[in-house]
Amino acid sequence: MSLTEFTATSRVTVFPLECLTVAYTTQSSDSRCLGDVALVTVVEDSGDGDELWHLARDLGARNSPGDQARWILTQANRARIVAAYKELPGVTWTAHVHRRFVLDALFANHEVLMTGRIALSGLCAKFGAGRGGGTVERPAAADVEVASGSWVRKGLRA
């Protein structure tokens, strides 16, 4: 499947999900700016977003594409609501969309889920090997640290 690339500036939530670094943002399908299109992407050079669908199947025990899409949206929405990781307001990004899925009903205020890979301009620092040997980018932030291969907020370690 060919990738669709586009660039925008918007609020992005970055969070860990298993061995992935994931970014979540929204876009609008029309001029009303409702944020009805969810963009949930991996922040890795070698990923294409299919990793999210595999996690939905394997961890979420979801078999249908609709259930998998809702699981992915639930993880992204949860990360944004609890603000447990990193919010990047007004960041410029470039996404390579690999999959576009139209939901059968509105879910978490979204009609469409797009998954793929994202690059966050000027706000990321390389750290370690990602899936498939690529490098993972994570926001350079004083309130986030890496512990046992996962991101945690300082002071929240169990």
Side-chain angles (χ1 to χ4, degrees), residues 27 54 129 147:
Q27 294 293 292
H54 293 289

Side-chain angles (χ1 to χ4, degrees), residues 8-15 21-25 43 85-94 118-127 136-144 151:
T9 300
S10 64
R11 171 184 173 198
V12 177
T13 302
V14 180
F15 62 99
T21 303
V22 178
Y24 166 55
T25 190
V43 186
Y85 299 100
K86 187 66 183 165
E87 288 291 324
L88 304 172
V91 67
T92 299
W93 48 264
T94 300
I118 196 167
L120 304 169
S121 298
L123 294 174
C124 291
K126 301 277 185 185
F127 100 101
V136 177
E137 294 181 18
R138 75 170 176 94
D143 62 342
V144 177
W151 293 10

Side-chain angles (χ1 to χ4, degrees), residues 54-91:
H54 293 289
L55 285 177
R57 182 192 65 222
D58 298 342
L59 294 179
R62 306 294 187 250
N63 293 319
S64 77
D67 286 343
Q68 292 170 356
R70 285 185 287 278
W71 186 90
I72 293 167
L73 284 169
T74 298
Q75 304 315 306
N77 196 44
R78 170 198 53 81
R80 179 163 282 180
I81 288 171
V82 301
Y85 299 100
K86 187 66 183 165
E87 288 291 324
L88 304 172
V91 67

